[in-house]
Each structure stands twice: as C-alpha cells, then as structure tokens.
Amino acid sequence: MKIAISGKGGVGKTILAALLSKTFAEFDYSVLAIDADPDANLAATLGFPEPEKITPISEMKDLIEERTGVQPGKTAPFFKLNPKVDDIPEKYAVERNGIKLMVMGRMKRGGSGCYCPESALLQALVTHLLLARDEVVILDMEAGIEHLGRATARAVDKLIIVVEPSRRAIETAYRISKLTQDIGLPNVTVVGNKIRNQSEKEFIISSLPGFEFLGFIPYDQALVEADLANLPLLDASRQITSEVKNIYHVLLSTAVAKVEKFG
Ligand SMILES: Nc1ncnc2c1ncn2[C@@H]1O[C@H](COP(=O)(O)OP(=O)(O)OP(=O)(O)O)[C@@H](O)[C@H]1O
Ligand SMILES: [Mg+2]
C-alpha cells in the first residue's frame, strides 16, 4: 500500500504519517516512510536519534551529479531524466524500530516546472519507491501536491488529506482534491484531526460533502505538552494512537476490498 499524506500546514500530516508508520510496523509490515516535506521533521517525530544529522538526498551533491550527470545548482541543456535510483534506498535509508526512513529534502523549483538535476533525481526516486518496493510506503508531504509529478501521483494508492476544523484547512482540501483530478490521482480520502467536540466533527463532514472519511482524531493537549517538553510524540497520546489504529484497520479493509473486487 502506497499512501501519501497532504493537507494545509500544521494540520497534523507528520504526526499521522509517523503514527501510521508505527502502526503498520507493529503489525509486522515492512514500512518505508518518506519525508518529502522540504521542512523535514518526520525523523524527529518518529523518534530517530539526532535527526539533524540525517542528510537529505537533495543535499547529496556527489550522488546527484553521479546519477544525473550534472552538478546540482547548475542548469545544463541535458541530463539524465531517468537516473539510476534502485540502489539508493538500501544505501541511504535509516532504520529504527522496523521503520525505514528516507529524507528527500528541498527541491529547487523554477517557474512552472523545474528541470534541475536534483528534482529529476528526487522524482525518479520517489516514483521508484512507490512502484518498485514491496512494502508499505508512507509519504509525508508539504501542504500542496503540485510538486508530485504525474508518474509519481499515479503510483500512489491513497492520498489522505488531513483537515482540522478550520475554513482554511477545508479550502486547502478542496484545492488539493481539484489537483488530484488534474494529475490523475484517484483515491482521495480525508482524516479530520484536532477534533475537540461533536460540532467540530460535524463542521468538517458538512463542509466536505462527497468526500470519503477515513477517521477523526481527537485533539489532545498531551501531544502539545509533549512537543513543548521535547518528549517523544509517538507515545504521548493514547487517544490519538488508538484512533490511528482504527484508521489503519479501515485502510486495510479498503485495500482488501479492492483486491477482492479487482483480483
Ligand atoms: N490531534 C492533535 N492534538 C493536539 N495537537 C496536535 C494534534 N495533531 C497535531 N498536533 C500538533 O500540531 C502541530 C502540527 O502537527 P504536525 O507537525 O503533525 O502537522 P503538519 O501538518 O505536518 O505541519 P507542517 O505543515 O508544518 O508540516 C504539532 O505541534 C502537533 O503536535
Ligand atoms: Mg509536517
């Protein structure tokens, strides 16, 4: 199962990516978590020691040059659009508690589409990770999905849009959902997060008619306090962990239903 997680800034994408990774790993799935947010903090959320020491792929200048034929930061008329990437996960993923992690880093962007070597390598790598790897892949993304190329988007089985009870989060959900239609990403589902009461849950449901919901995660002050005290986030809230477990079961049941339907 290849899951991508998007949504407005600060809605809880990374905590969901981390807790889902943990849950799949606890159920003995082999999990690859990918931090595709330039402002990366999945490693820290997953509890990797010294996360700042993990070098993002986009900063591996020699690797980028070796694989694309062009030095990062340079524009060149030609470079390999299909660089070799299949050995990169084994060499550069870090692992902890059954979860492998790759940090992609910041892609340079230019105008409507960027043809710089680092983004060629990152696109090829993410697409490879989604298509070729026989494991659960969980992609923690930045707020938009614009940077997901078509090939990458098509390799995603499920896009989870995280929303919190706010108009802006809902607007972002609509914007992302519109983009999924443009780039051909079919399976979109919503997780409501930071829910304090029934009326907040109803606000989200009534604001997003026609959307499929995967679950609703309660707001828990314990998570905020753990964050402020620099304590491990994954074990901070039993309520949140238990709802993510429900979400895991719903995800699995939809995957099983798909296999039964399409063989
Ligand atoms: N259910 C919740 N209850 C309380 N606090 C939460 C909850 N979910 C997330 N938070 C807090 O909200 C903040 C943002 O969460 P997180 O980093 O997971 O969001 P994000 O969508 O990945 O943000 P960004 O767009 O910056 O990457 C964090 O401080 C996190 O601890
Ligand atoms: Mg995040």
Side-chain angles (χ1 to χ4, degrees):
M1 198 184 300
K2 320 289 156 138
I3 302 164
I5 303 182
S6 188
K8 191 181 85 66
V11 289
K13 301 179 288 294
T14 299
I15 191 77
L16 178 63
L19 281 171
L20 267 183
S21 301
K22 182 174 180 243
T23 310
F24 273 103
E26 279 170 1
F27 282 94
D28 285 337
Y29 283 86
S30 165
V31 179
L32 175 67
I34 305 176
D35 195 339
D37 184 344
D39 202 5
N41 62 353
L42 185 57
T45 308
L46 280 168
F48 277 81
E50 303 192 289
E52 67 289 347
K53 290 200 175 150
I54 301 174
T55 309
I57 302 293
S58 68
E59 285 172 26
M60 296 184 177
K61 295 199 163 56
D62 293 345
L63 177 74
I64 295 166
E65 182 171 5
E66 176 198 310
R67 299 305 167 91
T68 64
V70 177
Q71 252 176 299
K74 297 252 162 76
T75 44
F78 304 106
F79 56 85
K80 284 190 198 131
L81 282 172
N82 278 315
K84 176 178 164 60
V85 290
D86 57 352
D87 58 330
I88 292 180
E90 262 40 78
K91 284 187 184 149
Y92 298 106
V94 287
E95 185 163 357
R96 184 176 181 271
N97 295 343
I99 301 170
K100 285 196 212 91
L101 170 73
M102 296 203 67
V103 180
M104 293 296 150
R106 200 169 288 275
M107 282 198 222
K108 288 242 175 55
R109 299 214 200 135
S112 52
C114 168
Y115 293 119
C116 42
E118 44 284 50
S119 66
L121 186 70
L122 293 196
Q123 286 269 353
L125 179 57
V126 174
T127 309
H128 167 79
L129 294 173
L130 290 168
L131 284 175
R133 307 278 303 184
D134 183 18
E135 58 201 343
V136 175
V137 179
I138 297 180
L139 194 60
D140 177 19
M141 300 200 295
E142 56 187 309
I145 56 162
E146 295 85 342
H147 57 292
L148 265 191
R150 274 175 185 273
T152 315
R154 256 183 257 127
V156 170
D157 296 319
K158 232 186 209 334
L159 175 75
I160 300 178
I161 305 178
V162 183
V163 295
E164 61 185 12
S166 80
R167 295 216 177 269
R168 289 200 41 221
I170 301 286
E171 281 160 18
T172 304
Y174 274 105
R175 193 170 60 76
I176 293 170
S177 148
K178 167 83 180 48
L179 283 166
T180 62
Q181 292 161 19
D182 297 346
I183 62 175
L185 203 165
N187 265 311
V188 178
T189 181
V190 176
V191 167
N193 185 27
K194 306 194 189 181
I195 310 290
R196 291 168 199 259
N197 51 49
Q198 186 63 21
S199 71
E200 290 191 343
K201 181 175 170 181
E202 281 161 12
F203 166 80
I204 290 176
I205 294 174
S206 64
S207 304
L208 294 168
F211 282 77
E212 175 197 297
F213 290 94
L214 204 53
F216 292 88
I217 301 171
Y219 179 89
D220 189 348
Q221 185 65 23
L223 190 63
V224 179
E225 275 156 26
D227 192 29
L228 296 180
N230 203 16
L231 292 169
L233 294 184
L234 287 187
D235 308 313
S237 164
R238 282 177 57 188
Q239 294 179 60
I240 293 177
T241 303
S242 123
E243 182 50 34
V244 174
K245 231 163 232 168
N246 289 338
I247 289 173
Y248 157 83
H249 286 295
V250 178
L251 273 172
L252 272 197
S253 66
T254 55
V256 169
K258 200 170 106 188
V259 170
E260 281 170 358
K261 196 166 163 199
F262 299 108

